[in-house]
Amino acid sequence: MVQVDAKTKKVIASNDLTNLYLAMQSFGEIKPEDFNLEGAIFNGESWFLFNRGNGKHNKNIVFTVDAKNLTNEFRILSNKFKLPKIDGIRTSFTDAILVEDKIYFLATAENTDSTYNDGEILGSIIGRIDVVTMKIDFTEKITDTQKFEGITLFKKSEKEIEFLLCEDNDTEVLESNIYKLVIKI
């Protein structure tokens, strides 16, 4: 883990998270080949780390890590989620963001048994998890053809929330389209 000063862009610290990752794998009963963190949130007190369950065992897990530091003084909680399927393929976490006391997440269905190798993209969903109960409030399919792997808050009002989504087009081209998604609340 590398910590960077947002203003100066200089590296402040570098830490080896091997012990944390091994503890997460053990606690979540995840084999190393199915361990693939694809989202991280820090709310000032706890880390929420999202394991993408696109391996053979579909281990979509949100780890909550309370820590004085992430190298040797931490407490781990885990919540497993059975996300919806698209065309018979289970969706898996690709990113998440915290807005007040709700986690909005993206998940994609990709026809592959590999945690790391890309497969046919069958679509993406957005969903929301209540931080207090760690239960899913809703999920909604947002595309049949795109793999969204980045989400950030754009604007929020009393009636709707707007996000910017980043697409992973699974090519060697180092550019991406940004989309705006509006959800009524």
Side-chain angles (χ1 to χ4, degrees):
M1 177 181 78
V2 176
Q3 185 178 357
V4 178
D5 182 292
K7 291 182 181 176
T8 66
K9 310 293 188 231
K10 298 212 187 263
V11 173
I12 297 170
S14 179
N15 295 295
D16 183 347
L17 299 183
T18 301
N19 291 336
L20 173 64
Y21 290 168
L22 290 172
M24 290 169 66
Q25 288 173 36
S26 175
F27 195 73
E29 299 176 343
I30 301 173
K31 294 180 180 180
E33 61 269 18
D34 289 330
F35 189 65
N36 182 10
L37 298 180
E38 290 233 1
I41 296 170
F42 182 63
N43 70 0
E45 296 177 11
S46 300
W47 288 90
F48 300 93
L49 303 171
F50 295 75
N51 189 71
R52 182 167 186 198
N54 62 329
K56 290 181 182 178
H57 300 100
N58 295 121
K59 297 277 187 156
N60 283 298
I61 298 176
V62 177
F63 291 97
T64 305
V65 181
D66 295 318
K68 290 183 180 179
N69 66 64
L70 293 175
T71 56
N72 58 17
E73 294 182 56
F74 48 80
R75 182 174 60 98
I76 302 171
L77 300 172
S78 70
N79 290 281
K80 296 178 184 178
F81 292 92
K82 191 171 185 178
L83 298 178
K85 291 181 178 181
I86 298 175
D87 294 339
I89 302 296
R90 181 95 38 217
T91 56
S92 57
F93 291 125
T94 55
D95 199 11
I97 185 170
L98 183 66
V99 179
E100 296 167 358
D101 61 347
K102 304 289 185 182
I103 295 171
Y104 289 84
F105 66 87
L106 296 172
T108 293
E110 199 167 2
N111 195 3
T112 180
D113 284 336
S114 171
T115 306
Y116 302 101
N117 295 325
D118 295 324
E120 177 190 6
I121 299 165
L122 303 173
S124 295
I125 66 169
I126 189 163
R128 185 174 70 196
I129 299 170
D130 183 284
V131 172
V132 176
T133 64
M134 291 307 282
K135 302 286 183 199
I136 294 177
D137 292 336
F138 77 88
T139 61
E140 183 177 331
K141 187 175 178 184
I142 55 177
T143 180
D144 291 319
T145 58
Q146 293 157 303
K147 178 167 71 169
F148 289 116
E149 289 199 344
I151 184 170
T152 191
L153 179 64
F154 182 66
K155 189 170 30 171
K156 183 178 184 298
S157 69
E158 287 188 26
K159 296 186 179 191
E160 61 187 24
I161 187 165
E162 298 179 35
F163 296 102
L164 297 179
L165 307 181
C166 181
E167 178 184 22
D168 178 359
N169 55 19
D170 285 347
T171 69
E172 298 299 317
V173 178
L174 298 178
E175 61 184 48
S176 181
N177 291 320
I178 304 297
Y179 297 82
K180 183 164 72 169
L181 175 66
V182 180
I183 299 175
K184 304 290 182 200
I185 51 176

